[in-house]
Amino acid sequence: MSARILDGKALAAELRAKVAAEAARIEPRLKRPPGLAVVLVGENPASVVYVRSKARATLEADMASFEHRLSADASEQELLALVARLNADPKVDGILVQLPLPPQIDSARVLAAVDPLKDVDGFHPVNAGKLATGLPALAPCTPVGCIMLAKRAHPSLAGLEAVVLGRSNIVGKPLVQLLLAENATVTIAHSKTRDLPAVCRRADVLFVAIGRPEFVRGDWIKPDATVIDVGTNRVPTPDGKGRLVGDVNFKEAVEVAGAITPSPGGVGPMTIACLLANTLRAACMRAGLPAPAI
Ligand code: NAP
């Protein structure tokens, strides 16, 4: 039987509408719209597309969008100076430095320079620490989107066996913290894990974020399990254009799982919607307003 499709586009549209309504509600209190600054260094084609869609979504949510571009040979000092200016700018509630950065720039140093109160990506060590210790934090957008999608299939994740495949700082690790906060029983697997298929088969909810096209096969999935596929990989096609696929073999998985996200169209749209939600949250925190009802 075919799995229920967890439609990230539809859920993201709902969230964006709620964010837009809350942004309009708090604008008179702020006396300005909530503002998101996005910094792009260089011309990485995928990053250019992401930055453009983030700016468009920000404007559509009635928030202010500030775009800053530096050339591919910009120095770390230049970027740090820009981040310092944005930290000090009262119109800016959220700062996102688009990754990857060129090799002459130390990403960790730049991410740590962003004011934690404006760290809408949730990558600052202060926010990572708060998330890990259960304090209110700006949490990374992609993992938050994954949890929202999983909750469409399981309104409560408490007591479920969750397996997270991938342990990056931006997806796997924060996802584990969010799942613990939801009282799931969590296993995190990675490239050194033994018998990955057996580990995956334990999952009531399987999250996959490894960057390997169609790596997870149908027979790695427990019948009726929920599968959240974070992977976005471009694979070659005969016409040379390529196409996007997830980290899960969708054709096989959809026949076994109870619910599954497509890729594209699953986690990706949720990431941008959660970025807008974090910008709103940051604006409320900075202005001493109660957290938005989203
Ligand atoms: P990453 O930093 O490269 O981390 C990949 C993780 O997967 C690592 O922990 C690695 O293990 C593990 N891994 C790699 N190959 C493996 C294998 N053969 N078996 C088991 N584990 C393996 O990747 P990421 O940034 O987390 O991104 C993962 C995927 O999600 C990518 O496709 C990316 O494009 C996508 N993504 C999508 C969004 C979105 O908005 N939709 C956002 C972020 C990322 P080790 O630690 O042992 O090396």
Side-chain angles (χ1 to χ4, degrees), residues 142 167-168 190-191 196 209-212 215 230-233 268 271:
T142 300
R167 58 173 165 181
S168 71
H190 45 76
S191 67
L196 219 43
I210 55 174
R212 302 266 180 263
F215 186 80
V230 185
T232 317
N233 312 285
T271 298

Side-chain angles (χ1 to χ4, degrees), residues 50 123 141-143 165-173 188-193 196 208-213 215 220 229-233 245-247 263 266-272:
Y50 290 142
F123 294 162
C141 305
T142 300
L165 190 42
R167 58 173 165 181
S168 71
N169 288 338
I170 64 171
V171 187
K173 283 182 198 155
I188 185 158
H190 45 76
S191 67
K192 306 290 184 290
T193 299
L196 219 43
V208 188
I210 55 174
R212 302 266 180 263
F215 186 80
W220 296 24
D229 186 356
V230 185
T232 317
N233 312 285
V245 298
D247 288 344
S263 179
V267 175
M270 289 303 293
T271 298
I272 293 188

